[in-house]
Amino acid sequence: MTMRRTDLLDLHEADATQLALVGGKGAQLGALSRIDGIRVPDGFCVTTDAFRRVVARVPSFDDRVERLSRSDPDDREALRTLSADIRRAVEETAIPGDLATEITGALARLGEGTAVAVRSSATAEDLPTASFAGQQDTYLNVVGPAEVLRHVSRCWASLFTERAVAYRRRNGIDHRAVQMAVVVQRMVFPEAAGVLFTADPLTGNRRTATVDAGFGLGEALVSGLVNPDVFTVRDGAVIARAIAAKQRAVHALPGGGTQEVEVDPQRQERPALTDAQVLRLVELGRRIEAHFGRPQDIEWCLADDGFRIVQSRPITTVYPIPDAGDQERHIYVSVGHQQMMTDAMKPLGLSLWQRTALVPMHEAGGRLFVDVTPRLASPASRAALLDLVGRGDPLVRDALETVLDRDDPVPPLPDTGLAEPPAGGASGPPAAGASVPSAGADPAIVPELIERSRASVAALERDLRTRSGPALFDFLLEAFEEHKRVLGDPLSMRAITAGMEATWWLNDQLGEWLGEKNAADTLTLSAPGNITSEMGLDLLDVADVIRPHPEVVAFLKGVEKGTEDEGFLDELAKLPGGTEAREAIDAYLDRYGMRCVGEIDITRPRWRERPTTLVPLILDNVRNFGPGAAAHRFAQGRAKARQKEQDVLSRLRALPDGDRRAEAAKRMIDQVRAFAGYREYPKYGIVSRSFLYKQALLEEAGRLVQADVLSEREDIFYLTFPELHDVVRSQQADDRLIRRRKDAFRSYETLTPPRVLTSDGEALTGAYRREDVPAGALAGLAVSTGTVEGTARVVLDLADADLGADDILVTRFTDPSWSPLFVGVAGLVTEVGGLMTHGAVIAREYGLPAVVGVEGATRLIRDGQRIRVHGTDGYVELLP
């Protein structure tokens, strides 16, 4: 049975279900025309069926598009030539006679001689994930059937403008998958026109709407010919207005086309809209926003004292808001900035984190946030929270204070005098002062806690072997409760807190007594039992095994270049020295194979799943270090810590009341060295558990693929845990849901998550308010003392790292998986991080000067540039 072809469709008949037929603009306009009170100019769509008929007549059309798809993305000249060739061929192809007759008849129904706008409407346009604004062409005030037909062809051809081709490539959209419809609408001759944003496009605040307005057609604003009047509206009132001198306008010509005209000098500084009209327009915008369920970028015209809506598309740049399920105000803090992983997570990863976290977590834009509103509701708990986050990441504190100082959105609760613990369960830092915090925990509990964690992971692995199908999911629900028990173990919390409190005390008191900045950084060098720093040192030992065998080294260089696949370990045994090399790598993977970049997302490929990730790091170690480097570095760090301890204690004893001060400091030094290493172990245990969950779920996914329920195993990553449970029970999956989730994930990857987000949609990153940073330097948070000068290496992917011994690693964030890289660099700069995040802890362990939280570091620092990292004072100098 052949499907009926539809070459034309009345605009009022179009809706979102016909996106493939009428394109994004056509679908949006059709939906707009059915919203009560919204006036959309009449018109019709020349559909994608008609487009396919025409391009089928273009000589070698498919071959031309195929060549464009295969062209080198960096060869702009080839892109320009190929796209121009396709445009010319489409424009020169005659429209079939029956189609031309249909279009002419539809024009006649709008009225003989009616001027129209001819507008491109691609199937990848005005989507929630990519707006494509301005990528294809629109023609205004087109008069007469022949001109309309000519401009329809020009719209089809504009699918291959150079800018549209580049935009699709940037957004990962296949040129061959996009079709073009054309919207033909009755022309509006407006007194004023412009754009309405139903949310502030800069801050994301959903309570604030902005209206840009100018005289005549909106083209004057879009082309930058004039500065618009700008009106800001909040809660039904115009709260700000900036009236521009509008010297030029664009008007329609009687015979077709448009022209620039000079505005009467007496009108130039007159507002294009009255306040009443602005409020009426925003009211219409709120109606449209409610219909589509997200903030909108709306093009409007004012004619005969009524507004016509000529386009509405989602604002794709504002950060999504967590769904709180109520109308109350909420303030959220980013989890990713605490966990040093701000990339978007897939739904299964988000879902498992939410089910195993100790506090409720809310999802937005593929990231997790904690609602801190209750903590901010009383003075005591607010002070404790601000103090804690300020110690960890001053930018989070600044962002919170910015919200609270400007407009306190939290209904105050009476102060009970008891500060609640901050989100996550850790206690707040002690106030600076001479009093010594209690030891809080016996160092002997650390081995006990580690053994408990190992036993729990081993039991989980044993139990998972015997479960499958629905029984697996029932068991996992129990395992998640054990997960939370391990994570929230009071004894473990006490050990972590003991190390943190001792660090804070030492930095505060030695700063006050001796003028020492961040003294604990040196005192914690080579602290025992740090699983994350051991991970870096153990990879040096792997390099020691490989270095004496040139054929193994040469083979691994081939793996690094991509000439060998993930099965390379099996090939190693065939080489001289290969058996020992394989055994060393396998032993390393047995201990650390559950780790990877972005490891808080269970869907990320682990080292055990993709061991080639480690090869460049191993080769760097072979090249940059000699035998025994791991033991030497550890011993060197321990010696520096001991020397620092002796220096600090002797200087303290020389002060008034020196013996008491030295005794207190000695207790805190012992405490920080006893517990600082354990700080990293709970994360290791949790990631070990998560990898076991993943392996079990992927085995289940394999069975679903065999049963033709899923197309591929990784489809489960786009389902939440309960949804996957339902699929296993029912043996049915919603392919459309999985496709929508994949599209949404791609759009989330383009977003930058804020440190703080409000329920009004305001996204804040915070700022440093410091006067001690030299002009031109980049401010950050000092997390590991020392100053180092070197060559900046901007690395966004661990697999691309190629570092020398005096290089300074500059990246967005570093979770524990980056630690093996730390052994071979001279310093560290990151965009995200805090005093107690993993990257900071390991930088101190290795004695690397480090500054974190440097906003825009990977953009402002060029790869290969000389920089100086001031790890003690918290800033980065860019050198000539």
Side-chain angles (χ1 to χ4, degrees):
M1 177 180 173
T2 58
M3 294 185 65
R4 177 178 174 274
R5 195 184 71 228
T6 305
D7 289 335
L8 257 65
L9 193 70
D10 189 272
L11 191 58
H12 297 288
E13 296 175 33
D15 61 31
T17 64
Q18 296 165 309
L19 177 70
L21 190 64
V22 298
K25 188 176 278 108
Q28 286 284 99
L29 287 168
L32 281 166
S33 69
R34 288 192 291 280
I35 302 174
D36 186 40
I38 303 300
R39 299 166 68 184
V40 175
D42 293 337
F44 59 90
C45 288
V46 183
T47 69
T48 54
D49 282 351
F51 172 75
R52 279 188 287 271
R53 283 184 68 192
V54 171
V55 298
R57 304 171 69 155
V58 174
S60 307
F61 178 78
D62 290 339
D63 291 341
R64 295 178 200 234
V65 176
E66 180 70 27
R67 282 202 302 276
L68 182 66
S69 298
R70 291 200 313 265
S71 65
D72 182 349
D74 296 322
D75 188 345
R76 296 193 62 180
E77 188 55 41
L79 184 149
R80 186 179 296 115
T81 303
L82 290 167
S83 57
D85 176 58
I86 297 172
R87 283 200 309 278
R88 187 167 49 252
V90 172
E91 285 190 42
E92 291 173 354
T93 299
I95 296 176
D98 61 328
L99 176 57
T101 301
E102 270 197 87
I103 294 172
T104 302
L107 280 172
R109 288 190 292 277
L110 288 177
E112 201 66 41
T114 297
V116 295
V118 183
R119 315 174 68 193
S120 302
S121 180
T123 51
E125 182 175 337
D126 297 340
L127 306 178
T129 55
S131 76
F132 276 79
Q135 299 308 311
Q136 283 85 220
D137 290 346
T138 284
Y139 302 97
L140 301 178
N141 198 32
V142 181
V143 180
E147 281 299 293
V148 170
L149 292 172
R150 186 168 73 87
H151 284 86
V152 167
S153 288
R154 292 181 70 185
C155 279
W156 285 330
S158 76
L159 188 62
F160 297 98
T161 62
E162 189 181 344
R163 64 183 183 275
V165 167
Y167 189 95
R168 284 196 294 274
R169 179 165 275 163
R170 199 161 55 246
N171 283 274
I173 296 171
D174 190 338
H175 304 306
R176 294 160 293 193
V178 184
Q179 306 290 317
M180 178 69 88
V182 180
V183 173
V184 180
Q185 278 180 288
R186 187 188 301 275
M187 186 67 192
V188 178
F189 301 100
E191 303 147 30
V195 180
L196 159 65
F197 296 98
T198 64
D200 187 320
L202 298 179
T203 68
N205 195 317
R206 306 314 199 255
R207 289 170 62 199
T208 301
T210 61
V211 175
D212 290 3
F215 295 128
L217 293 166
E219 292 304 292
L221 304 187
V222 173
S223 65
L225 181 64
V226 297
N227 291 324
D229 295 340
V230 180
F231 301 86
T232 305
V233 177
R234 182 180 295 168
D235 300 334
V238 177
I239 61 169
R241 62 184 64 74
I243 308 304
K246 299 169 287 295
Q247 297 174 343
R248 311 285 292 173
V250 175
H251 286 293
L253 291 168
T258 63
Q259 70 172 5
E260 292 179 21
V261 298
E262 191 169 331
V263 176
D264 184 336
Q266 293 183 334
R267 293 185 63 221
Q268 287 180 5
E269 297 193 21
R270 188 183 303 167
L273 297 177
T274 66
D275 281 7
Q277 288 171 328
V278 169
L279 295 177
R280 170 64 180 149
L281 177 60
V282 171
E283 183 187 328
L284 295 175
R286 293 294 181 213
R287 201 173 295 178
I288 294 168
E289 179 183 62
H291 177 84
F292 290 117
R294 58 184 301 164
Q296 297 288 302
D297 165 359
I298 299 167
E299 296 176 24
W300 57 268
C301 297
L302 175 65
D304 305 322
D305 203 34
F307 286 104
R308 311 293 196 280
I309 304 301
V310 295
Q311 182 58 324
S312 183
R313 60 176 66 89
I315 305 175
T316 57
T317 55
V318 295
Y319 201 85
I321 307 173
D323 182 8
D326 60 37
Q327 298 302 309
E328 302 297 319
R329 295 275 196 86
H330 297 272
I331 300 176
Y332 303 95
V333 169
S334 164
V335 172
H337 284 82
Q338 311 305 310
Q339 291 294 329
M340 296 293 278
M341 209 294 276
T342 56
D343 288 350
M345 295 170 66
K346 296 186 179 76
L348 186 62
L350 291 164
S351 177
L352 287 182
W353 252 79
Q354 288 173 302
R355 286 186 165 267
T356 54
L358 296 179
V359 295
M361 292 188 177
H362 306 263
E363 185 272 334
R367 280 83 171 182
L368 292 169
F369 295 85
V370 172
D371 186 353
V372 296
T373 318
R375 306 266 191 244
L376 298 170
S378 80
S381 60
R382 174 184 294 193
L385 177 67
L386 292 175
D387 200 12
L388 182 72
V389 298
R391 292 268 186 170
D393 184 346
L395 293 179
V396 175
R397 176 172 188 148
D398 180 78
L400 286 172
E401 288 179 333
T402 298
V403 176
L404 296 171
D405 290 347
R406 185 180 57 243
D407 176 19
D408 192 340
V410 184
L413 294 177
D415 191 351
T416 62
L418 297 173
E420 292 182 68
S427 64
S435 61
V436 183
S438 61
D442 179 353
I445 67 170
V446 170
E448 179 189 338
L449 286 167
I450 291 172
E451 186 49 44
R452 276 196 216 172
S453 176
R454 285 176 179 158
S456 178
V457 170
L460 175 65
E461 185 173 19
R462 190 171 56 247
D463 292 339
L464 281 172
R465 288 197 200 106
T466 63
R467 266 77 171 191
S468 64
L472 168 66
F473 288 81
D474 293 338
F475 171 73
L476 283 174
L477 290 173
E478 298 174 17
F480 295 160
E481 292 306 309
E482 168 66 5
H483 185 119
K484 288 195 278 190
R485 189 202 64 74
V486 170
L487 189 59
D489 183 341
L491 203 57
S492 178
M493 289 283 191
R494 209 177 309 152
I496 294 170
T497 303
M500 292 169 66
E501 286 185 338
T503 299
W504 288 325
W505 188 93
L506 286 166
N507 283 338
D508 288 343
Q509 292 309 126
L510 297 182
E512 180 183 330
W513 292 338
L514 300 176
E516 287 267 357
K517 281 189 177 180
N518 304 324
D521 294 359
T522 306
L523 293 167
T524 55
L525 285 171
S526 297
N530 187 315
I531 188 74
T532 308
S533 64
E534 288 170 3
M535 181 166 64
L537 298 176
D538 286 352
L539 202 61
L540 287 173
D541 290 338
V542 173
D544 284 355
V545 175
I546 290 168
R547 191 179 292 105
H549 304 292
E551 290 184 57
V552 172
V553 173
F555 175 78
L556 291 179
K557 286 178 179 175
V559 174
E560 184 182 28
K561 291 174 183 173
T563 57
E564 299 288 341
D565 61 18
E566 293 297 336
F568 77 95
L569 287 173
D570 294 330
E571 298 298 312
L572 268 180
K574 301 173 185 176
L575 301 170
T579 301
E580 299 95 310
R582 171 168 185 157
E583 286 174 355
I585 294 172
D586 266 334
Y588 188 86
L589 290 171
D590 286 343
R591 192 175 189 203
Y592 304 112
M594 77 296 289
R595 311 219 82 148
C596 69
V597 172
E599 62 192 11
I600 69 170
D601 182 356
I602 193 176
T603 71
R604 291 287 192 103
R606 311 283 132 175
W607 289 345
R608 174 53 83 181
E609 296 168 312
R610 194 175 290 173
T612 52
T613 306
L614 293 173
V615 171
L617 307 181
I618 293 170
L619 290 173
D620 279 349
N621 288 346
V622 168
R623 184 176 67 248
N624 295 331
F625 296 95
H632 174 71
R633 285 176 69 99
F634 189 80
Q636 191 177 45
R638 188 169 51 196
K640 284 183 181 177
R642 284 176 178 162
Q643 184 179 353
K644 183 70 172 179
E645 176 182 339
Q646 291 168 2
D647 173 64
V648 162
L649 295 179
S650 66
R651 289 164 62 197
L652 284 175
R653 291 190 186 102
L655 298 175
D657 199 20
D659 288 343
R660 186 186 64 80
R661 297 186 194 203
E663 182 185 346
K666 173 61 174 165
R667 288 207 304 275
M668 288 299 99
I669 291 169
D670 290 346
Q671 183 167 317
V672 80
R673 290 195 66 79
F675 294 107
Y678 179 71
R679 160 74 176 78
E680 293 293 298
Y681 201 87
K683 178 79 175 287
Y684 173 80
I686 293 306
V687 173
S688 299
R689 295 182 68 86
S690 296
F691 186 39
L692 295 174
Y693 305 151
K694 180 182 185 179
Q695 290 173 306
L697 292 172
L698 281 175
E699 283 185 29
E700 204 59 44
R703 288 187 275 272
L704 292 170
V705 170
Q706 285 183 329
D708 291 327
V709 176
L710 294 176
S711 299
E712 54 187 20
R713 290 197 316 163
E714 287 73 19
D715 281 350
I716 67 169
F717 296 161
Y718 298 93
L719 299 171
T720 65
F721 182 80
E723 288 167 348
L724 180 54
H725 194 174
D726 287 342
V727 169
V728 170
R729 272 196 299 247
S730 67
Q731 292 293 291
Q732 291 182 321
D734 185 344
D735 290 338
R736 289 173 302 176
L737 173 65
I738 292 170
R739 282 198 301 273
R740 285 200 305 273
R741 292 275 177 78
K742 288 180 179 180
D743 288 342
F745 177 73
R746 279 194 292 271
S747 75
Y748 295 154
E749 286 184 297
T750 67
L751 298 174
T752 300
R755 283 177 170 81
V756 171
L757 181 65
T758 74
S759 52
D760 291 333
E762 189 171 8
L764 301 101
T765 57
Y768 294 106
R769 307 186 189 281
R770 296 170 51 184
E771 297 178 358
D772 62 331
V773 176
L778 306 178
L781 177 64
V783 296
S784 185
T785 195
T787 300
V788 65
E789 183 178 319
T791 303
R793 292 299 172 202
V794 180
V795 179
L796 301 180
D797 186 335
L798 191 65
D800 297 334
D802 182 12
L803 299 162
D806 73 332
D807 288 344
I808 296 170
L809 173 63
V810 180
T811 189
R812 289 178 298 151
F813 58 78
T814 60
D815 61 10
S817 69
W818 288 72
S819 300
L821 215 59
F822 286 17
V823 299
V825 296
L828 173 69
V829 179
T830 69
E831 295 181 342
V832 176
L835 191 62
M836 298 308 293
T837 48
H838 299 277
V841 171
I842 304 308
R844 291 194 290 271
E845 280 280 315
Y846 289 164
L848 294 180
V851 179
V852 303
V854 180
E855 196 67 26
T858 59
R859 177 173 47 84
L860 299 171
I861 300 172
R862 298 189 317 276
D863 185 64
Q865 183 175 16
R866 295 291 291 180
I867 63 174
R868 187 178 296 125
V869 177
H870 294 262
T872 306
D873 296 312
Y875 63 89
V876 181
E877 283 185 279
L878 310 181
L879 303 177

